[in-house]
Amino acid sequence: VVNDAFGHPQSVVVLGGTSDIGRAIVGRLVGLRCRTVVLAARDPARLAAAADEAAAAGATAVATVHLDATEPGSARDTVAEAFKAAGGPVDMVLVTVGLLGEPERDERDPDRVGELVTVNFTWPAVAMAEAVERLRAQGSGRLVVLSTVAGVRVRRANFLYGSAKAGLDAMTWGWSEVLRDAPDAAVAVQLVRPGFVHSKMTTGLRPAPFATTPDAVADAVVRGIERGESVTWVPGVLRWAFAVLRLLPPSLWRRLPG
Ligand SMILES: NC(=O)c1ccc[n+]([C@@H]2O[C@H](COP(=O)([O-])OP(=O)(O)OC[C@H]3O[C@@H](n4cnc5c(N)ncnc54)[C@H](OP(=O)(O)O)[C@@H]3O)[C@@H](O)[C@H]2O)c1
């Protein structure tokens, strides 16, 4: 594997390649000489636009793969196809697929509850397990997973999304524990916990305190790679804020803004 001396990947697979945060991270990585970019997503037009963007930034091998996160049975094949499309070792797998939904509508619709859990947790869980197997077989690589502070302590306002992300967050932590001790491979896991990010997911929503941008998340992820971080909070102050917030009694927690 050809990570450079700072650990910057030279090939990346993005599961959720049309994500605003994912695109910002790819932009940074390509700027740091990542040359192979494989983007997996559901919408062909947005996927083509994201691929063009990566190529314009300087990626020399750009491929796209179809991803339907409502079908966990497709996750292994999607990951397999993405690794094949990379045409060589994959230095980094980035998991950015996610769905915020519309809380007040979704909580009255059991089918949508299922969809939120599937897209935010079940599909990524299967995909991560497949990706970890493949990274282990390569002997090295990095798994970077977009969690959220909404999963660190669940709030009434977005508890369906938050509880599915809590599962994803916990599972990612579990993988980092497994891989920390794995004798067979040097696979790193980076769990990313942003607060509110201005992206197409949050368009029209009132920003929470410490709201940030996809570019700021991308900078934090790259710094985390350079420092070998296992958990990256964005902005960093949220690490300390949540050290306190997760201990607040429910009567106070439910009254906080955002
Ligand atoms: N924005 C925030 O405030 C925030 C904060 C913390 C963490 N995060 C997490 O960061 C990640 C990226 O979010 P973002 O802000 O960049 O939002 P985004 O642009 O909406 O990205 C979400 C990604 O998931 C994909 N997706 C959703 N449902 C799918 C489905 N059924 N099948 C296939 N793909 C599907 C989207 O595809 P389309 O492009 O086709 O919609 C897109 O690629 C997510 O995991 C999110 O939970 C976001």
Side-chain angles (χ1 to χ4, degrees), residues 19-29 32 53 146 192 194 196-200 211-224 232-235:
S19 130
D20 286 346
I21 293 173
R23 286 167 44 218
I25 294 170
V26 166
R28 287 292 188 282
L29 296 178
L32 293 163
E53 194 177 66
L146 265 294
V192 186
F196 185 105
V197 183
H198 291 281
S199 75
K200 72 182 194 290
T212 187
T213 62
D215 283 339
V217 177
D219 287 338
V221 167
V222 167
R223 256 193 326 273
T232 300
W233 299 75
V234 199

PDB file of all heavy atoms in Angstrom, residues 19-29 32 53 146 192 194 196-200 211-224 232-235:
ATOM      1  N   SER A  19     -22.193  12.723  -1.193  1.00  0.00           N
ATOM      2  CA  SER A  19     -22.363  13.494   0.044  1.00  0.00           C
ATOM      3  C   SER A  19     -21.528  14.781  -0.019  1.00  0.00           C
ATOM      4  O   SER A  19     -20.398  14.776  -0.503  1.00  0.00           O
ATOM      5  CB  SER A  19     -21.942  12.614   1.223  1.00  0.00           C
ATOM      6  OG  SER A  19     -21.056  13.271   2.068  1.00  0.00           O
ATOM      7  N   ASP A  20     -22.089  15.865   0.483  1.00  0.00           N
ATOM      8  CA  ASP A  20     -21.340  17.128   0.498  1.00  0.00           C
ATOM      9  C   ASP A  20     -20.062  16.991   1.322  1.00  0.00           C
ATOM     10  O   ASP A  20     -18.996  17.482   0.932  1.00  0.00           O
ATOM     11  CB  ASP A  20     -22.213  18.255   1.081  1.00  0.00           C
ATOM     12  CG  ASP A  20     -23.289  18.704   0.093  1.00  0.00           C
ATOM     13  OD1 ASP A  20     -23.202  18.361  -1.097  1.00  0.00           O
ATOM     14  OD2 ASP A  20     -24.226  19.410   0.532  1.00  0.00           O
ATOM     15  N   ILE A  21     -20.183  16.315   2.462  1.00  0.00           N
ATOM     16  CA  ILE A  21     -19.003  16.124   3.312  1.00  0.00           C
ATOM     17  C   ILE A  21     -18.002  15.195   2.604  1.00  0.00           C
ATOM     18  O   ILE A  21     -16.798  15.465   2.579  1.00  0.00           O
ATOM     19  CB  ILE A  21     -19.414  15.559   4.695  1.00  0.00           C
ATOM     20  CG1 ILE A  21     -20.225  16.612   5.470  1.00  0.00           C
ATOM     21  CG2 ILE A  21     -18.195  15.114   5.486  1.00  0.00           C
ATOM     22  CD1 ILE A  21     -20.829  16.107   6.789  1.00  0.00           C
ATOM     23  N   GLY A  22     -18.495  14.139   1.991  1.00  0.00           N
ATOM     24  CA  GLY A  22     -17.614  13.219   1.267  1.00  0.00           C
ATOM     25  C   GLY A  22     -16.871  13.908   0.143  1.00  0.00           C
ATOM     26  O   GLY A  22     -15.669  13.693  -0.053  1.00  0.00           O
ATOM     27  N   ARG A  23     -17.579  14.751  -0.590  1.00  0.00           N
ATOM     28  CA  ARG A  23     -16.939  15.466  -1.707  1.00  0.00           C
ATOM     29  C   ARG A  23     -15.859  16.405  -1.198  1.00  0.00           C
ATOM     30  O   ARG A  23     -14.785  16.540  -1.808  1.00  0.00           O
ATOM     31  CB  ARG A  23     -17.982  16.217  -2.531  1.00  0.00           C
ATOM     32  CG  ARG A  23     -18.819  15.263  -3.402  1.00  0.00           C
ATOM     33  CD  ARG A  23     -20.053  15.946  -3.973  1.00  0.00           C
ATOM     34  NE  ARG A  23     -19.738  17.263  -4.473  1.00  0.00           N
ATOM     35  CZ  ARG A  23     -20.538  18.340  -4.351  1.00  0.00           C
ATOM     36  NH1 ARG A  23     -21.710  18.231  -3.752  1.00  0.00           N
ATOM     37  NH2 ARG A  23     -20.175  19.488  -4.855  1.00  0.00           N
ATOM     38  N   ALA A  24     -16.122  17.062  -0.076  1.00  0.00           N
ATOM     39  CA  ALA A  24     -15.104  17.969   0.486  1.00  0.00           C
ATOM     40  C   ALA A  24     -13.871  17.171   0.916  1.00  0.00           C
ATOM     41  O   ALA A  24     -12.733  17.605   0.698  1.00  0.00           O
ATOM     42  CB  ALA A  24     -15.695  18.740   1.665  1.00  0.00           C
ATOM     43  N   ILE A  25     -14.085  16.006   1.517  1.00  0.00           N
ATOM     44  CA  ILE A  25     -12.943  15.184   1.951  1.00  0.00           C
ATOM     45  C   ILE A  25     -12.151  14.708   0.727  1.00  0.00           C
ATOM     46  O   ILE A  25     -10.915  14.778   0.708  1.00  0.00           O
ATOM     47  CB  ILE A  25     -13.420  13.985   2.811  1.00  0.00           C
ATOM     48  CG1 ILE A  25     -14.022  14.495   4.133  1.00  0.00           C
ATOM     49  CG2 ILE A  25     -12.271  13.007   3.087  1.00  0.00           C
ATOM     50  CD1 ILE A  25     -14.745  13.433   4.964  1.00  0.00           C
ATOM     51  N   VAL A  26     -12.851  14.258  -0.302  1.00  0.00           N
ATOM     52  CA  VAL A  26     -12.164  13.825  -1.527  1.00  0.00           C
ATOM     53  C   VAL A  26     -11.348  14.980  -2.108  1.00  0.00           C
ATOM     54  O   VAL A  26     -10.199  14.800  -2.528  1.00  0.00           O
ATOM     55  CB  VAL A  26     -13.174  13.269  -2.556  1.00  0.00           C
ATOM     56  CG1 VAL A  26     -12.536  13.136  -3.933  1.00  0.00           C
ATOM     57  CG2 VAL A  26     -13.711  11.916  -2.081  1.00  0.00           C
ATOM     58  N   GLY A  27     -11.923  16.174  -2.101  1.00  0.00           N
ATOM     59  CA  GLY A  27     -11.195  17.340  -2.616  1.00  0.00           C
ATOM     60  C   GLY A  27      -9.872  17.538  -1.896  1.00  0.00           C
ATOM     61  O   GLY A  27      -8.829  17.769  -2.523  1.00  0.00           O
ATOM     62  N   ARG A  28      -9.910  17.439  -0.565  1.00  0.00           N
ATOM     63  CA  ARG A  28      -8.676  17.589   0.220  1.00  0.00           C
ATOM     64  C   ARG A  28      -7.679  16.470  -0.096  1.00  0.00           C
ATOM     65  O   ARG A  28      -6.484  16.711  -0.265  1.00  0.00           O
ATOM     66  CB  ARG A  28      -8.978  17.539   1.722  1.00  0.00           C
ATOM     67  CG  ARG A  28      -9.636  18.747   2.278  1.00  0.00           C
ATOM     68  CD  ARG A  28      -8.693  19.944   2.253  1.00  0.00           C
ATOM     69  NE  ARG A  28      -9.293  21.055   2.964  1.00  0.00           N
ATOM     70  CZ  ARG A  28     -10.245  21.847   2.477  1.00  0.00           C
ATOM     71  NH1 ARG A  28     -10.689  21.679   1.237  1.00  0.00           N
ATOM     72  NH2 ARG A  28     -10.755  22.815   3.204  1.00  0.00           N
ATOM     73  N   LEU A  29      -8.188  15.239  -0.149  1.00  0.00           N
ATOM     74  CA  LEU A  29      -7.278  14.098  -0.373  1.00  0.00           C
ATOM     75  C   LEU A  29      -6.625  14.188  -1.742  1.00  0.00           C
ATOM     76  O   LEU A  29      -5.428  13.918  -1.894  1.00  0.00           O
ATOM     77  CB  LEU A  29      -8.043  12.774  -0.233  1.00  0.00           C
ATOM     78  CG  LEU A  29      -8.622  12.472   1.157  1.00  0.00           C
ATOM     79  CD1 LEU A  29      -9.389  11.152   1.124  1.00  0.00           C
ATOM     80  CD2 LEU A  29      -7.531  12.436   2.226  1.00  0.00           C
ATOM     81  N   LEU A  32      -3.861  16.375  -1.822  1.00  0.00           N
ATOM     82  CA  LEU A  32      -2.691  15.772  -1.164  1.00  0.00           C
ATOM     83  C   LEU A  32      -2.228  14.533  -1.929  1.00  0.00           C
ATOM     84  O   LEU A  32      -1.641  13.624  -1.371  1.00  0.00           O
ATOM     85  CB  LEU A  32      -3.052  15.411   0.285  1.00  0.00           C
ATOM     86  CG  LEU A  32      -3.331  16.619   1.185  1.00  0.00           C
ATOM     87  CD1 LEU A  32      -4.063  16.212   2.458  1.00  0.00           C
ATOM     88  CD2 LEU A  32      -2.030  17.346   1.528  1.00  0.00           C
ATOM     89  N   GLU A  53     -15.870  16.371 -10.595  1.00  0.00           N
ATOM     90  CA  GLU A  53     -15.216  17.256  -9.635  1.00  0.00           C
ATOM     91  C   GLU A  53     -13.884  16.659  -9.163  1.00  0.00           C
ATOM     92  O   GLU A  53     -12.866  17.357  -9.083  1.00  0.00           O
ATOM     93  CB  GLU A  53     -16.177  17.416  -8.451  1.00  0.00           C
ATOM     94  CG  GLU A  53     -15.894  18.509  -7.483  1.00  0.00           C
ATOM     95  CD  GLU A  53     -17.012  18.554  -6.426  1.00  0.00           C
ATOM     96  OE1 GLU A  53     -17.162  17.601  -5.635  1.00  0.00           O
ATOM     97  OE2 GLU A  53     -17.759  19.549  -6.423  1.00  0.00           O
ATOM     98  N   LEU A 146     -18.403   8.433   9.083  1.00  0.00           N
ATOM     99  CA  LEU A 146     -19.105   9.630   9.533  1.00  0.00           C
ATOM    100  C   LEU A 146     -20.208   9.244  10.504  1.00  0.00           C
ATOM    101  O   LEU A 146     -21.265   8.766  10.101  1.00  0.00           O
ATOM    102  CB  LEU A 146     -19.674  10.396   8.337  1.00  0.00           C
ATOM    103  CG  LEU A 146     -18.816  11.539   7.785  1.00  0.00           C
ATOM    104  CD1 LEU A 146     -18.687  12.683   8.785  1.00  0.00           C
ATOM    105  CD2 LEU A 146     -17.423  11.041   7.419  1.00  0.00           C
ATOM    106  N   VAL A 192     -15.650   9.784  12.971  1.00  0.00           N
ATOM    107  CA  VAL A 192     -15.769  11.243  12.849  1.00  0.00           C
ATOM    108  C   VAL A 192     -17.119  11.672  13.418  1.00  0.00           C
ATOM    109  O   VAL A 192     -18.162  11.156  13.012  1.00  0.00           O
ATOM    110  CB  VAL A 192     -15.645  11.679  11.375  1.00  0.00           C
ATOM    111  CG1 VAL A 192     -15.631  13.203  11.264  1.00  0.00           C
ATOM    112  CG2 VAL A 192     -14.394  11.081  10.749  1.00  0.00           C
ATOM    113  N   PRO A 194     -19.067  14.963  13.720  1.00  0.00           N
ATOM    114  CA  PRO A 194     -19.348  16.388  13.568  1.00  0.00           C
ATOM    115  C   PRO A 194     -20.612  16.784  14.329  1.00  0.00           C
ATOM    116  O   PRO A 194     -21.481  15.941  14.604  1.00  0.00           O
ATOM    117  CB  PRO A 194     -19.586  16.558  12.058  1.00  0.00           C
ATOM    118  CG  PRO A 194     -19.270  15.243  11.428  1.00  0.00           C
ATOM    119  CD  PRO A 194     -19.404  14.217  12.502  1.00  0.00           C
ATOM    120  N   PHE A 196     -23.549  20.059  13.878  1.00  0.00           N
ATOM    121  CA  PHE A 196     -24.357  20.490  12.729  1.00  0.00           C
ATOM    122  C   PHE A 196     -23.423  20.939  11.602  1.00  0.00           C
ATOM    123  O   PHE A 196     -22.532  21.759  11.809  1.00  0.00           O
ATOM    124  CB  PHE A 196     -25.250  21.655  13.163  1.00  0.00           C
ATOM    125  CG  PHE A 196     -26.221  22.123  12.113  1.00  0.00           C
ATOM    126  CD1 PHE A 196     -27.575  21.800  12.203  1.00  0.00           C
ATOM    127  CD2 PHE A 196     -25.800  22.906  11.046  1.00  0.00           C
ATOM    128  CE1 PHE A 196     -28.482  22.237  11.249  1.00  0.00           C
ATOM    129  CE2 PHE A 196     -26.691  23.348  10.079  1.00  0.00           C
ATOM    130  CZ  PHE A 196     -28.035  23.015  10.184  1.00  0.00           C
ATOM    131  N   VAL A 197     -23.633  20.390  10.408  1.00  0.00           N
ATOM    132  CA  VAL A 197     -22.834  20.769   9.235  1.00  0.00           C
ATOM    133  C   VAL A 197     -23.770  21.360   8.183  1.00  0.00           C
ATOM    134  O   VAL A 197     -24.803  20.756   7.861  1.00  0.00           O
ATOM    135  CB  VAL A 197     -22.106  19.544   8.639  1.00  0.00           C
ATOM    136  CG1 VAL A 197     -21.225  19.968   7.460  1.00  0.00           C
ATOM    137  CG2 VAL A 197     -21.271  18.830   9.699  1.00  0.00           C
ATOM    138  N   HIS A 198     -23.404  22.504   7.639  1.00  0.00           N
ATOM    139  CA  HIS A 198     -24.199  23.090   6.548  1.00  0.00           C
ATOM    140  C   HIS A 198     -23.982  22.260   5.286  1.00  0.00           C
ATOM    141  O   HIS A 198     -22.934  22.354   4.648  1.00  0.00           O
ATOM    142  CB  HIS A 198     -23.776  24.537   6.301  1.00  0.00           C
ATOM    143  CG  HIS A 198     -24.145  25.455   7.423  1.00  0.00           C
ATOM    144  ND1 HIS A 198     -25.417  25.941   7.581  1.00  0.00           N
ATOM    145  CD2 HIS A 198     -23.415  25.951   8.446  1.00  0.00           C
ATOM    146  CE1 HIS A 198     -25.467  26.716   8.645  1.00  0.00           C
ATOM    147  NE2 HIS A 198     -24.260  26.740   9.200  1.00  0.00           N
ATOM    148  N   SER A 199     -24.949  21.424   4.947  1.00  0.00           N
ATOM    149  CA  SER A 199     -24.839  20.578   3.752  1.00  0.00           C
ATOM    150  C   SER A 199     -26.241  20.380   3.204  1.00  0.00           C
ATOM    151  O   SER A 199     -27.208  20.859   3.781  1.00  0.00           O
ATOM    152  CB  SER A 199     -24.227  19.214   4.121  1.00  0.00           C
ATOM    153  OG  SER A 199     -25.204  18.415   4.782  1.00  0.00           O
ATOM    154  N   LYS A 200     -26.356  19.606   2.120  1.00  0.00           N
ATOM    155  CA  LYS A 200     -27.698  19.421   1.568  1.00  0.00           C
ATOM    156  C   LYS A 200     -28.587  18.638   2.527  1.00  0.00           C
ATOM    157  O   LYS A 200     -29.801  18.734   2.480  1.00  0.00           O
ATOM    158  CB  LYS A 200     -27.651  18.824   0.163  1.00  0.00           C
ATOM    159  CG  LYS A 200     -27.267  17.381   0.024  1.00  0.00           C
ATOM    160  CD  LYS A 200     -27.249  17.047  -1.479  1.00  0.00           C
ATOM    161  CE  LYS A 200     -27.204  15.571  -1.777  1.00  0.00           C
ATOM    162  NZ  LYS A 200     -25.897  14.948  -1.437  1.00  0.00           N
ATOM    163  N   ALA A 211     -22.150  25.194  14.654  1.00  0.00           N
ATOM    164  CA  ALA A 211     -22.375  24.709  13.287  1.00  0.00           C
ATOM    165  C   ALA A 211     -21.101  24.892  12.463  1.00  0.00           C
ATOM    166  O   ALA A 211     -20.365  25.868  12.635  1.00  0.00           O
ATOM    167  CB  ALA A 211     -23.531  25.463  12.644  1.00  0.00           C
ATOM    168  N   THR A 212     -20.860  23.945  11.564  1.00  0.00           N
ATOM    169  CA  THR A 212     -19.619  23.974  10.791  1.00  0.00           C
ATOM    170  C   THR A 212     -19.901  23.665   9.310  1.00  0.00           C
ATOM    171  O   THR A 212     -21.062  23.621   8.898  1.00  0.00           O
ATOM    172  CB  THR A 212     -18.581  23.022  11.441  1.00  0.00           C
ATOM    173  OG1 THR A 212     -17.342  23.171  10.784  1.00  0.00           O
ATOM    174  CG2 THR A 212     -19.032  21.571  11.355  1.00  0.00           C
ATOM    175  N   THR A 213     -18.860  23.490   8.534  1.00  0.00           N
ATOM    176  CA  THR A 213     -19.003  23.326   7.079  1.00  0.00           C
ATOM    177  C   THR A 213     -18.342  22.021   6.621  1.00  0.00           C
ATOM    178  O   THR A 213     -17.465  21.482   7.311  1.00  0.00           O
ATOM    179  CB  THR A 213     -18.298  24.474   6.336  1.00  0.00           C
ATOM    180  OG1 THR A 213     -16.897  24.404   6.664  1.00  0.00           O
ATOM    181  CG2 THR A 213     -18.854  25.836   6.735  1.00  0.00           C
ATOM    182  N   PRO A 214     -18.728  21.527   5.445  1.00  0.00           N
ATOM    183  CA  PRO A 214     -18.051  20.335   4.904  1.00  0.00           C
ATOM    184  C   PRO A 214     -16.535  20.525   4.785  1.00  0.00           C
ATOM    185  O   PRO A 214     -15.772  19.597   5.081  1.00  0.00           O
ATOM    186  CB  PRO A 214     -18.706  20.160   3.524  1.00  0.00           C
ATOM    187  CG  PRO A 214     -20.087  20.704   3.706  1.00  0.00           C
ATOM    188  CD  PRO A 214     -19.904  21.903   4.612  1.00  0.00           C
ATOM    189  N   ASP A 215     -16.090  21.723   4.407  1.00  0.00           N
ATOM    190  CA  ASP A 215     -14.640  21.955   4.296  1.00  0.00           C
ATOM    191  C   ASP A 215     -13.946  21.833   5.647  1.00  0.00           C
ATOM    192  O   ASP A 215     -12.828  21.305   5.737  1.00  0.00           O
ATOM    193  CB  ASP A 215     -14.361  23.344   3.697  1.00  0.00           C
ATOM    194  CG  ASP A 215     -14.595  23.353   2.192  1.00  0.00           C
ATOM    195  OD1 ASP A 215     -14.578  22.271   1.577  1.00  0.00           O
ATOM    196  OD2 ASP A 215     -14.807  24.458   1.643  1.00  0.00           O
ATOM    197  N   ALA A 216     -14.612  22.329   6.698  1.00  0.00           N
ATOM    198  CA  ALA A 216     -14.014  22.218   8.039  1.00  0.00           C
ATOM    199  C   ALA A 216     -13.959  20.754   8.474  1.00  0.00           C
ATOM    200  O   ALA A 216     -12.988  20.320   9.113  1.00  0.00           O
ATOM    201  CB  ALA A 216     -14.810  23.056   9.040  1.00  0.00           C
ATOM    202  N   VAL A 217     -14.981  19.984   8.118  1.00  0.00           N
ATOM    203  CA  VAL A 217     -14.955  18.550   8.443  1.00  0.00           C
ATOM    204  C   VAL A 217     -13.796  17.884   7.690  1.00  0.00           C
ATOM    205  O   VAL A 217     -13.039  17.087   8.259  1.00  0.00           O
ATOM    206  CB  VAL A 217     -16.300  17.868   8.100  1.00  0.00           C
ATOM    207  CG1 VAL A 217     -16.219  16.365   8.371  1.00  0.00           C
ATOM    208  CG2 VAL A 217     -17.454  18.500   8.889  1.00  0.00           C
ATOM    209  N   ALA A 218     -13.643  18.251   6.412  1.00  0.00           N
ATOM    210  CA  ALA A 218     -12.567  17.663   5.603  1.00  0.00           C
ATOM    211  C   ALA A 218     -11.193  17.987   6.206  1.00  0.00           C
ATOM    212  O   ALA A 218     -10.327  17.104   6.303  1.00  0.00           O
ATOM    213  CB  ALA A 218     -12.660  18.167   4.164  1.00  0.00           C
ATOM    214  N   ASP A 219     -11.005  19.236   6.620  1.00  0.00           N
ATOM    215  CA  ASP A 219      -9.722  19.608   7.242  1.00  0.00           C
ATOM    216  C   ASP A 219      -9.472  18.785   8.501  1.00  0.00           C
ATOM    217  O   ASP A 219      -8.353  18.321   8.746  1.00  0.00           O
ATOM    218  CB  ASP A 219      -9.722  21.099   7.605  1.00  0.00           C
ATOM    219  CG  ASP A 219      -9.590  21.978   6.369  1.00  0.00           C
ATOM    220  OD1 ASP A 219      -9.100  21.484   5.335  1.00  0.00           O
ATOM    221  OD2 ASP A 219      -9.979  23.167   6.448  1.00  0.00           O
ATOM    222  N   ALA A 220     -10.518  18.624   9.301  1.00  0.00           N
ATOM    223  CA  ALA A 220     -10.372  17.875  10.560  1.00  0.00           C
ATOM    224  C   ALA A 220     -10.058  16.400  10.286  1.00  0.00           C
ATOM    225  O   ALA A 220      -9.256  15.785  10.991  1.00  0.00           O
ATOM    226  CB  ALA A 220     -11.641  18.008  11.396  1.00  0.00           C
ATOM    227  N   VAL A 221     -10.686  15.841   9.256  1.00  0.00           N
ATOM    228  CA  VAL A 221     -10.426  14.434   8.918  1.00  0.00           C
ATOM    229  C   VAL A 221      -8.964  14.270   8.481  1.00  0.00           C
ATOM    230  O   VAL A 221      -8.271  13.342   8.923  1.00  0.00           O
ATOM    231  CB  VAL A 221     -11.404  13.936   7.826  1.00  0.00           C
ATOM    232  CG1 VAL A 221     -10.946  12.600   7.239  1.00  0.00           C
ATOM    233  CG2 VAL A 221     -12.817  13.814   8.408  1.00  0.00           C
ATOM    234  N   VAL A 222      -8.486  15.188   7.646  1.00  0.00           N
ATOM    235  CA  VAL A 222      -7.094  15.088   7.172  1.00  0.00           C
ATOM    236  C   VAL A 222      -6.114  15.249   8.343  1.00  0.00           C
ATOM    237  O   VAL A 222      -5.146  14.491   8.467  1.00  0.00           O
ATOM    238  CB  VAL A 222      -6.822  16.124   6.056  1.00  0.00           C
ATOM    239  CG1 VAL A 222      -5.331  16.251   5.786  1.00  0.00           C
ATOM    240  CG2 VAL A 222      -7.571  15.722   4.784  1.00  0.00           C
ATOM    241  N   ARG A 223      -6.402  16.214   9.220  1.00  0.00           N
ATOM    242  CA  ARG A 223      -5.544  16.357  10.411  1.00  0.00           C
ATOM    243  C   ARG A 223      -5.566  15.079  11.237  1.00  0.00           C
ATOM    244  O   ARG A 223      -4.546  14.643  11.760  1.00  0.00           O
ATOM    245  CB  ARG A 223      -6.027  17.538  11.275  1.00  0.00           C
ATOM    246  CG  ARG A 223      -5.147  18.770  11.156  1.00  0.00           C
ATOM    247  CD  ARG A 223      -5.434  19.813  12.236  1.00  0.00           C
ATOM    248  NE  ARG A 223      -6.822  19.912  12.651  1.00  0.00           N
ATOM    249  CZ  ARG A 223      -7.747  20.682  12.062  1.00  0.00           C
ATOM    250  NH1 ARG A 223      -7.422  21.423  11.030  1.00  0.00           N
ATOM    251  NH2 ARG A 223      -8.977  20.727  12.522  1.00  0.00           N
ATOM    252  N   GLY A 224      -6.745  14.492  11.358  1.00  0.00           N
ATOM    253  CA  GLY A 224      -6.883  13.243  12.110  1.00  0.00           C
ATOM    254  C   GLY A 224      -6.061  12.111  11.495  1.00  0.00           C
ATOM    255  O   GLY A 224      -5.477  11.298  12.204  1.00  0.00           O
ATOM    256  N   THR A 232     -12.474  11.807  15.822  1.00  0.00           N
ATOM    257  CA  THR A 232     -12.300  13.194  15.389  1.00  0.00           C
ATOM    258  C   THR A 232     -13.622  13.932  15.596  1.00  0.00           C
ATOM    259  O   THR A 232     -14.629  13.587  14.976  1.00  0.00           O
ATOM    260  CB  THR A 232     -11.905  13.233  13.894  1.00  0.00           C
ATOM    261  OG1 THR A 232     -10.669  12.525  13.726  1.00  0.00           O
ATOM    262  CG2 THR A 232     -11.755  14.666  13.383  1.00  0.00           C
ATOM    263  N   TRP A 233     -13.639  14.920  16.497  1.00  0.00           N
ATOM    264  CA  TRP A 233     -14.830  15.742  16.713  1.00  0.00           C
ATOM    265  C   TRP A 233     -14.687  16.996  15.866  1.00  0.00           C
ATOM    266  O   TRP A 233     -13.583  17.533  15.727  1.00  0.00           O
ATOM    267  CB  TRP A 233     -14.938  16.149  18.179  1.00  0.00           C
ATOM    268  CG  TRP A 233     -15.070  15.026  19.162  1.00  0.00           C
ATOM    269  CD1 TRP A 233     -14.091  14.171  19.591  1.00  0.00           C
ATOM    270  CD2 TRP A 233     -16.271  14.641  19.867  1.00  0.00           C
ATOM    271  NE1 TRP A 233     -14.600  13.280  20.506  1.00  0.00           N
ATOM    272  CE2 TRP A 233     -15.928  13.552  20.708  1.00  0.00           C
ATOM    273  CE3 TRP A 233     -17.582  15.115  19.877  1.00  0.00           C
ATOM    274  CZ2 TRP A 233     -16.861  12.929  21.531  1.00  0.00           C
ATOM    275  CZ3 TRP A 233     -18.503  14.496  20.711  1.00  0.00           C
ATOM    276  CH2 TRP A 233     -18.144  13.410  21.524  1.00  0.00           C
ATOM    277  N   VAL A 234     -15.797  17.472  15.288  1.00  0.00           N
ATOM    278  CA  VAL A 234     -15.729  18.683  14.464  1.00  0.00           C
ATOM    279  C   VAL A 234     -16.894  19.620  14.812  1.00  0.00           C
ATOM    280  O   VAL A 234     -18.045  19.235  14.623  1.00  0.00           O
ATOM    281  CB  VAL A 234     -15.806  18.358  12.955  1.00  0.00           C
ATOM    282  CG1 VAL A 234     -15.266  19.544  12.164  1.00  0.00           C
ATOM    283  CG2 VAL A 234     -15.072  17.082  12.585  1.00  0.00           C
ATOM    284  N   PRO A 235     -16.643  20.852  15.297  1.00  0.00           N
ATOM    285  CA  PRO A 235     -15.314  21.330  15.685  1.00  0.00           C
ATOM    286  C   PRO A 235     -14.824  20.631  16.961  1.00  0.00           C
ATOM    287  O   PRO A 235     -15.625  20.034  17.692  1.00  0.00           O
ATOM    288  CB  PRO A 235     -15.536  22.832  15.928  1.00  0.00           C
ATOM    289  CG  PRO A 235     -16.979  22.943  16.294  1.00  0.00           C
ATOM    290  CD  PRO A 235     -17.693  21.864  15.537  1.00  0.00           C
TER     291      PRO A 235
END
